[in-house]
Amino acid sequence: EYRVKVDTDGVVTFASNTGILFPYEAATTSDTLTAAESGKTFVVKPATNKPPTFTLPVAAVGMEFTFVAANTEFIILDPNGTDTFKYASLSAGDRIYNSSAAAGDTIKVFCATALEWAVTPITGTWADYN
């Protein structure tokens, strides 16, 4: 049995009884992420009332991370060193958070230029945390 089959002409076929599972982690505490975790979605549901902070690795081209608030809570993203979130008026080293703190707040950060995190689709209100 196969999950994905790619024919010689490039046609991709999926087995009918399987699905595609994407990298996922239920996050309950602050974490320092690694480059190996790129592509992962973090569903954030803190174990305490303290908002978790996720420290990103050095922004390298092609890396991406997605964060989703499971409940009404804050999520704080901290760039590595002087990496920059290319969003609103954030400066090098500024952290970003979901100021709306609503269930379903979502952000994806993607690196297209070294040392910069582009903010792609978001849900909720995200702002400078500094």
Side-chain angles (χ1 to χ4, degrees), residues 41-46 54 65-77 87 96-108 119-127:
T41 295
F42 296 87
V43 177
V44 183
K45 186 174 183 180
F54 296 90
F65 298 91
T66 303
F67 301 86
V68 179
N71 294 319
T72 55
E73 59 240 342
F74 293 110
I75 300 170
I76 303 165
L77 302 183
Y87 182 75
I96 192 171
Y97 82 117
N98 59 326
S99 59
S100 48
D105 281 356
T106 305
I107 189 170
K108 177 188 267 188
V119 175
T120 58
I122 63 167
T123 302
T125 302
W126 293 78

Side-chain angles (χ1 to χ4, degrees), residues 57-61 79-80 82-86 92 111-118:
V58 172
V61 174
N80 186 292
T82 59
D83 286 0
T84 304
F85 289 109
K86 301 307 273 182
C111 180
T113 302
L115 308 179
E116 295 179 354
W117 291 107

Side-chain angles (χ1 to χ4, degrees), residues 6-77:
V6 180
D7 295 336
T8 56
D9 60 359
V11 174
V12 177
T13 306
F14 297 97
S16 61
N17 62 344
T18 62
I20 297 174
L21 300 177
F22 294 96
Y24 161 92
E25 181 177 319
T28 58
T29 60
S30 294
D31 195 3
T32 298
L33 307 182
T34 66
E37 293 176 288
S38 176
K40 190 180 278 188
T41 295
F42 296 87
V43 177
V44 183
K45 186 174 183 180
T48 66
N49 289 332
K50 182 178 180 187
T53 297
F54 296 90
T55 303
L56 300 173
V58 172
V61 174
M63 294 174 68
E64 73 174 24
F65 298 91
T66 303
F67 301 86
V68 179
N71 294 319
T72 55
E73 59 240 342
F74 293 110
I75 300 170
I76 303 165
L77 302 183

